[in-house]
Amino acid sequence: MRLDNRLSSEGFEVTMMGIDVISNEVRKIKRKYSETNPVKLCQNMKISLLHQPMGLFEGACKGFYLQQSRKQAIVINSDLDEQFQRIILMHELGHAVLHRKLPGVKSFHDFTLFDQTSLYEYEANIFAADFILDDQEVLRMLNDDISFFAAANTLCVPAELLDFKFRILKRKGYQVIDPPLNARANFLKNY
């Protein structure tokens, strides 16, 4: 288990989960619920799911996770296309699985989803990438000599999410090319 310690802006120590720890959580969830549909997964995990219009303007909220008095809810921006809502939902499920026991944290608002500068957002992105993208399917595409961007398009995910999957595959010991990009904090601004 790899954990990195960092100090937050409030001065207390924050522990970053390693990719292997997050991948292990993904495996546990898949094994426990035998479900890959994120909507059904929310039902099985007793997490309320709401879809609300939040706009498509730059900076619009894409979704958020909320926990109050042992009740959990995820709200997804219904103005987003269906495929992208699925990605946002898996990201929010990542918060529910990885971060619900954090002291003092009641919600995660994803105005800038996939923000590498935010430790918790990074971890939720790793969760979503590992849950959505099957190792063998991604490796098969690479072996078929499909370009990085064509693979992302075929898999119906943003290239940045595939970049997170490449990090996971490297951590698992697979030999993969370096992606032609490094997911940045603001890539969804133009989505």
Side-chain angles (χ1 to χ4, degrees), residues 42-60:
C42 280
Q43 292 169 346
N44 293 341
M45 295 174 73
K46 302 196 182 341
I47 298 172
S48 298
L49 177 59
L50 304 165
H51 289 84
Q52 294 293 319
M54 295 184 234
L56 294 173
F57 55 90
E58 186 176 315

Side-chain angles (χ1 to χ4, degrees), residues 9-178:
S9 59
E10 290 82 25
F12 60 88
E13 194 171 303
V14 176
T15 302
M16 179 177 166
M17 288 180 217
I19 288 174
D20 47 352
V21 173
I22 297 168
S23 288
N24 189 45
E25 288 300 317
V26 169
R27 275 190 303 279
K28 281 196 245 180
I29 295 294
K30 284 183 173 182
R31 188 174 38 240
K32 180 176 181 177
Y33 296 104
S34 298
E35 185 59 65
T36 57
N37 179 316
V39 173
K40 291 180 181 177
L41 191 55
C42 280
Q43 292 169 346
N44 293 341
M45 295 174 73
K46 302 196 182 341
I47 298 172
S48 298
L49 177 59
L50 304 165
H51 289 84
Q52 294 293 319
M54 295 184 234
L56 294 173
F57 55 90
E58 186 176 315
C61 182
K62 286 151 183 69
F64 59 92
Y65 165 72
L66 177 66
Q67 175 189 328
Q68 184 67 39
S69 303
R70 291 184 284 183
K71 304 252 188 235
Q72 298 178 84
I74 292 175
V75 180
I76 300 297
N77 184 341
S78 62
D79 292 326
L80 302 172
D81 70 59
E82 193 174 308
Q83 190 65 31
F84 202 64
Q85 286 183 40
R86 179 177 171 263
I87 293 167
I88 301 297
L89 180 51
M90 284 312 308
H91 174 92
E92 297 307 330
L93 279 167
H95 285 306
V97 170
L98 302 172
H99 305 132
R100 75 180 166 87
K101 293 184 180 180
L102 292 174
V105 177
K106 298 289 184 204
S107 68
F108 290 91
H109 299 271
D110 293 332
F111 291 97
T112 54
L113 184 64
F114 304 110
D115 182 350
Q116 261 196 340
T117 61
S118 169
L119 179 64
Y120 300 136
E121 295 305 306
Y122 175 84
E123 292 171 348
N125 291 331
I126 293 293
F127 182 93
D130 205 26
F131 202 100
I132 291 170
L133 299 169
D134 179 68
D135 292 1
Q136 298 310 312
E137 185 177 11
V138 171
L139 292 169
R140 180 187 53 77
M141 285 188 181
L142 294 176
N143 288 332
D144 288 344
D145 213 17
I146 295 176
S147 77
F148 178 83
F149 293 104
N153 189 48
T154 301
L155 294 165
C156 300
V157 298
E160 290 82 357
L161 195 65
L162 186 56
D163 173 52
F164 280 100
K165 185 62 176 187
F166 271 42
R167 297 175 202 192
I168 296 164
L169 291 171
K170 283 182 179 182
R171 181 70 180 151
K172 289 179 177 181
Y174 291 103
Q175 297 291 323
V176 294
I177 61 168
D178 287 331

